[in-house]
Amino acid sequence: MSERGTILLVAESEGVLRELTGILEPERYTALTSPPLPDRVLGSLRVHPDLVVIDAGLRNGDAIALAAALHADVGTDDVPVAFVAPADDVGIRVRALAAGDDLMSTPFDPQDVLDRVERLVVVSRLRRALRESQAGFREAAASEREAVVTADERGVIRGWNDAATALLGHTEAQALGQPVGMLVPLRERHRFRASLDRVRVGDDRHIIGASIDLSVARRDGTEFLAGLSYATWVFGGRRYFTGIVRELEDRAVDADAFGSVPEASIDAIVSADRDGRIVAWNSAATRVLGYEEEEAVGRLLDLIVPPEFHDAHHAGMRRYAETGEAKVIGRTVELSARTKAGERIPIELSLSTWMIRGERFYTGIIRDIGERRAAEAAIRRSERDLRARSAELREKNAALEGTLDQLSRMQDQLILQEKMASLGRLSAGMAHELNNPASAAQRGSSQAQAAFAKLQVTQLELGRLGLYGSRLERLRELDALAAERADRPAEYGALERSDREAAVESWLDEHGVAEAGELAPSLVSLGIGIDDLERLEEVFPEEERRVIVVWLSQKYLVYSLLAEVAVGTTRMVELVKALKTYTYMDQAPVQDVDVRHGLDNTLVMLHNKLKRGVRVVKEYDADLPTIQAHASELNQVWTNLIDNAIDAMGGEGTLTVRARGEGDRIVVEVEDDGPGMSPEARSRVFDPFFTTKPLGEGTGLGLPISRNIIVKKHHGDLEVDSGPAFTRFTARLPVGVAPSDDGEED
């Protein structure tokens, strides 16, 4: 077994396993591996690992489901689970964070991995200690001659021994999970709940550790007068209460009254009489404090109290006997104890007291917290190291920022001397414009590969059906619908779409269609609802209909992804043509343009930035005429205006895009509800190289280029208006006027 902990690694990638093993084993961790199969992973847990690390990107298994199985299993529910996920895969990272205890990013930062593993191993061992302590306590409670009941801070019963069953009539299975108030007669429950609430928040603490008389109800409804003594302690940030319930009757007090001290407990349990003389001592007390039972029983508690605390200990017992004032009874406190070897050890003490025939006795549960203190010290050292590293990084970052500031000032001087010769800056600006469609095309092609693979499987199933005649003709109609809707999906409001998807998903589930949740969005985008699915039965039998529905959804998904790739690549080509036109290297073709399509395509290209928190409102005239224009340049204008609006709002707010007719002109407005521009910025916004963005985030060329395209090439105008809570750019373009090819006004 490793000195620092055992880590179980679950991954398909040999590279991930090799890299993690290389990070962990030099730091004295034992790294074990398991295939990503639930039975194999659960079998590997026989070695009792301190941590399970799962690759969230498993191809032949469901990492999230595997983690859920570990958390659901009683034997492994307290073993932390950390996921491994790529730093740039937001979807996987969100699911992994919701399902696990921590997340490690690839490519790995070795120090980050070690810091996370160290913290999770400490958590694992603390959880294990709590579980073992609870198991020991349950064994202890089971052996008590008197009814012992444990409840959590919400008043839910968590522990119940055999004596409680004998006295109160409820079996352990019947009692666990029930409110402790069921033991109180109905007429007393309101007052009992109020008392419990006061104790929970720290009031009425005088009843903790004391013995009180109260009426208790048995399962059969009979009542009896009982004496109750109970204690409380806190573990893992949660409070627990344990009460000893005894029916009030005369009985002798002898050594057997404490004979039930549990030998199986992992915590030392010591009982003493009113004079502080030890009357019970379990084997765990021998392990923790060193004294055998025969050496301890009959001697004063001074035996285990450090000498410098003897006076305070005696004074506290006298004070409690005379006044009932308790500073330790009923609480969980951290103290020091003296062992037989004379060593001082840190302990956690939970002390309770009760009366038997007028005689007071005390019982303390003592836990050696040396290991926990060591773990806490390790965490503090780790935090100090992290703070030191953070300070070092801040210093390096400050030095880097100083260097960047110096470079920026030099760059600004160069721009002022030779603005129009800054080809490098123009290229950087165009690279920024190309980035969005390139990313969309890349993403769409990657997703299309996976979608096409699924479609091929379904196509084979479709071929086996041997469709012909009217069924084959209906299949061609559905294929044509999927191709048409790929460019123009059915439009619904968010709420209506959600309702339609839920209804379609339910229908698919009811008819035995697998992966209904993945298929429903595509079918809704096709405009297909429950009635359409039912009508398919007129042409296709039930078995064929299930295949047809899957095929249609996958077909639409492939078409829509290919359409997205086509839009992205076409946009990239158009931007390159626009660059040539700007530098007079080429002339863009003139065509009839519907500005609404250009605006929509631009919103699609910028979807990645919009989805972070921007609400888009589109206000288009339904009968808007087309104009003759360089479509690629106009799309470049819309990209600049919309991208700037998103940045001005900080990625969150409302973006309004309007397109309407105004006499013999088309008016396009892009408005955001950001903070607005200063008067100085508004007066210079179309100056080349002027930008309000931080250095490195804007070239200052986007708006000058946009104005050149609108004013010089298309004989229109571009204006800006701004106030305290809005900025609006308005472009006006003439209808029926051909744009200039040379960039100059007629």
Side-chain angles (χ1 to χ4, degrees):
M1 186 60 66
S2 166
E3 178 181 344
R4 300 193 64 185
T6 300
I7 316 301
L8 179 62
L9 307 177
V10 182
E12 298 166 334
S13 168
E14 291 294 333
V16 169
L17 294 173
R18 186 168 52 252
E19 190 170 357
L20 282 174
T21 301
I23 294 172
L24 295 170
E25 291 192 338
E27 298 296 325
R28 307 193 306 283
Y29 289 100
T30 295
L32 306 177
T33 62
S34 170
L37 303 173
D39 292 343
R40 297 287 295 276
V41 174
L42 292 173
S44 300
L45 294 173
R46 288 194 298 270
V47 301
H48 303 297
D50 298 291
L51 171 64
V52 178
V53 179
I54 304 176
D55 186 349
L58 296 177
R59 296 183 299 277
N60 299 316
D62 188 334
I64 305 301
L66 179 57
L70 295 178
H71 285 148
D73 190 280
V74 174
T76 61
D77 58 351
D78 57 1
V79 178
V81 175
F83 284 99
V84 172
D88 57 356
D89 195 327
V90 177
I92 289 181
R93 292 175 68 84
V94 169
R95 294 178 64 213
L97 281 171
D101 296 280
D102 207 341
L103 181 64
M104 303 176 188
S105 298
T106 57
F108 293 115
D109 177 344
Q111 190 57 53
D112 179 69
V113 171
L114 291 173
D115 290 341
R116 294 178 186 275
V117 167
E118 180 181 25
R119 180 179 63 79
L120 290 172
V121 166
V122 170
V123 169
S124 178
R125 290 182 173 177
L126 288 175
R127 287 178 178 174
R128 187 177 302 162
L130 175 60
R131 183 180 72 240
E132 292 172 353
S133 177
Q134 290 172 333
F137 184 82
R138 284 194 296 271
E139 293 179 14
S143 67
E144 286 287 346
R145 293 184 179 182
E146 294 167 330
V148 178
V149 180
T150 297
D152 61 21
E153 60 186 2
R154 295 180 295 120
V156 176
I157 296 174
R158 299 302 184 191
W160 188 270
N161 70 345
D162 292 341
T165 298
L167 180 62
L168 301 169
H170 303 272
T171 66
E172 182 181 18
Q174 291 168 339
L176 293 183
Q178 297 299 316
V180 72
M182 74 174 186
L183 306 179
V184 180
L186 284 173
R187 66 180 183 278
E188 300 287 345
R189 287 184 186 176
H190 178 74
R191 188 173 63 179
F192 175 78
R193 283 194 295 267
S195 298
L196 188 62
D197 289 341
R198 287 195 298 272
V199 172
R200 186 183 299 122
V201 299
D203 292 339
D204 276 8
R205 298 301 297 274
H206 62 278
I207 67 173
I208 302 270
S211 180
I212 59 175
D213 297 346
L214 76 167
S215 294
V216 175
R218 292 188 175 92
R219 185 168 184 264
D220 61 7
T222 61
E223 298 180 16
F224 65 93
L225 184 62
L228 169 67
S229 299
Y230 69 98
T232 180
W233 62 88
V234 176
F235 191 91
R238 298 186 64 181
R239 180 170 298 281
Y240 296 88
F241 303 87
T242 294
I244 299 177
V245 183
R246 64 189 63 80
E247 188 171 7
L248 291 181
E249 59 180 84
D250 288 339
R251 50 187 168 166
V253 180
D254 54 26
D256 289 340
F258 299 97
S260 59
V261 174
E263 290 304 307
S265 174
I266 67 170
D267 294 328
I269 301 180
V270 179
S271 294
D273 61 18
R274 66 180 181 180
D275 298 320
R277 195 169 302 279
I278 298 171
V279 297
W281 183 275
N282 72 343
S283 58
T286 298
R287 175 176 52 79
V288 173
L289 299 167
Y291 294 97
E292 297 294 337
E293 182 179 9
E294 56 270 19
E295 294 178 292
V297 173
R299 299 179 65 178
L300 293 175
L301 288 171
D302 293 0
L303 180 70
I304 59 176
V305 176
E308 63 269 27
F309 299 122
H310 284 179
D311 291 343
H313 164 63
H314 297 156
M317 293 191 69
R318 285 195 303 271
R319 181 176 59 252
Y320 184 75
E322 295 170 359
T323 67
E325 179 186 352
K327 293 186 178 180
V328 176
I329 294 174
R331 298 172 53 202
T332 298
V333 295
E334 293 186 5
L335 302 170
S336 295
R338 183 178 62 172
T339 69
K340 182 178 179 180
E343 298 177 351
R344 303 291 181 83
I345 61 171
I347 64 167
E348 186 176 79
L349 171 67
S350 295
L351 184 63
S352 61
T353 180
W354 56 83
M355 301 289 290
I356 300 179
R357 292 193 63 194
E359 294 290 331
R360 181 169 300 283
F361 293 87
Y362 304 87
T363 292
I365 299 176
I366 301 171
R367 170 170 295 181
D368 184 347
I369 58 174
E371 183 176 345
R372 190 179 78 190
R373 288 275 182 87
E376 291 171 348
I379 291 175
R380 287 193 294 271
R381 287 195 300 273
S382 175
E383 289 175 346
R384 285 197 299 270
D385 291 343
L386 286 173
R387 284 195 293 270
R389 284 194 291 271
S390 297
E392 181 182 354
L393 288 174
R394 282 195 297 271
E395 291 177 1
K396 291 181 178 179
N397 190 54
L400 179 60
E401 287 177 350
T403 303
L404 290 174
D405 287 341
Q406 184 179 2
L407 289 174
S408 296
R409 287 193 295 271
M410 295 172 61
Q411 191 176 47
D412 289 343
Q413 293 172 4
L414 179 61
I415 291 173
L416 290 173
Q417 294 171 8
E418 252 181 289
K419 287 184 178 180
M420 300 312 299
S422 244
L423 181 60
R425 286 187 169 277
L426 175 59
S427 299
M430 292 307 298
H432 175 74
E433 299 295 339
L434 284 165
N435 182 60
N436 287 309
S439 298
Q442 182 184 38
R443 181 177 64 253
S445 62
S446 175
Q447 294 175 349
Q449 289 177 345
F452 191 76
K454 290 185 177 180
L455 178 61
Q456 285 182 307
V457 175
T458 308
Q459 288 276 123
L460 292 175
E461 295 183 22
L462 194 63
R464 295 191 191 101
L465 298 179
L467 303 179
Y468 62 92
S470 61
R471 290 186 296 167
L472 184 59
E473 186 60 31
R474 180 57 177 152
L475 198 65
R476 290 194 183 98
E477 293 174 1
L478 293 173
D479 191 8
L481 174 65
E484 177 186 355
R485 289 295 193 186
D487 289 320
R488 293 190 298 277
E491 294 186 1
Y492 306 104
L495 184 59
E496 183 181 0
R497 171 172 283 275
S498 176
D499 291 340
R500 284 175 173 267
E501 289 179 0
V504 170
E505 183 177 349
S506 297
W507 188 94
L508 295 175
D509 284 332
E510 292 171 1
H511 289 77
V513 179
E515 298 180 341
E518 295 182 12
L519 302 177
S522 296
L523 294 173
V524 171
S525 295
L526 280 164
I528 289 180
I530 301 300
D531 293 340
D532 302 300
L533 293 170
E534 295 290 352
R535 280 195 292 272
L536 288 177
E537 192 173 10
E538 300 172 5
V539 181
F540 304 102
E542 177 71 18
E543 290 300 320
E544 292 183 358
R545 182 171 53 173
R546 281 199 291 268
V547 178
I548 296 299
V549 168
V550 174
W551 169 83
L552 178 59
S553 175
Q554 294 175 346
K555 195 82 169 181
Y556 168 77
L557 181 59
V558 170
Y559 279 141
S560 62
L561 289 171
L562 292 176
E564 182 178 340
V565 172
V567 170
T569 53
T570 301
R571 180 80 173 103
M572 292 163 62
V573 171
E574 290 175 349
L575 287 170
V576 171
K577 289 180 179 179
L579 177 59
K580 291 181 180 179
T581 301
Y582 179 81
T583 55
Y584 299 101
M585 296 172 57
D586 200 356
Q587 299 296 324
V590 175
Q591 53 191 295
D592 288 336
V593 172
D594 186 334
V595 297
R596 296 171 297 186
H597 291 167
L599 291 167
D600 285 341
N601 285 339
T602 302
L603 291 170
V604 170
M605 294 299 99
L606 293 174
H607 177 257
N608 191 52
K609 291 185 71 173
L610 290 166
K611 68 181 181 181
R612 298 172 190 168
V614 176
R615 185 174 71 95
V616 178
V617 177
K618 294 190 287 188
E619 299 176 0
Y620 298 162
D621 279 1
D623 56 349
L624 199 66
T626 60
I627 60 172
Q628 289 185 301
H630 297 285
S632 60
E633 277 86 349
L634 283 187
N635 286 340
Q636 182 181 356
V637 173
W638 313 144
T639 300
N640 280 327
L641 298 183
I642 294 173
D643 190 52
N644 286 343
I646 297 170
D647 290 341
M649 293 184 291
E652 295 183 356
T654 300
L655 173 71
T656 304
V657 182
R658 303 183 182 92
R660 67 175 187 274
E662 188 177 89
D664 59 351
R665 292 193 169 197
I666 295 295
V667 178
V668 175
E669 294 180 349
V670 176
E671 180 175 334
D672 66 76
D673 61 355
M677 296 182 182
S678 67
E680 179 188 6
R682 190 164 62 248
S683 66
R684 300 184 56 195
V685 71
F686 295 112
D687 290 349
F689 302 101
F690 174 78
T691 179
T692 58
K693 296 180 181 180
L695 290 171
E697 294 186 14
T699 64
L701 292 173
L703 289 176
I705 292 173
S706 298
R707 187 168 191 178
N708 181 69
I709 292 171
I710 296 294
V711 176
K712 293 188 175 181
K713 282 209 163 188
H714 293 85
H715 315 301
D717 57 72
L718 181 61
E719 300 173 349
V720 61
D721 188 17
S722 185
F726 82 99
T727 297
R728 179 172 57 249
F729 283 85
T730 303
R732 291 180 173 84
L733 296 163
V735 177
V737 178
S740 301
D741 287 338
D742 57 1
E744 298 295 333
E745 295 180 315
D746 292 341

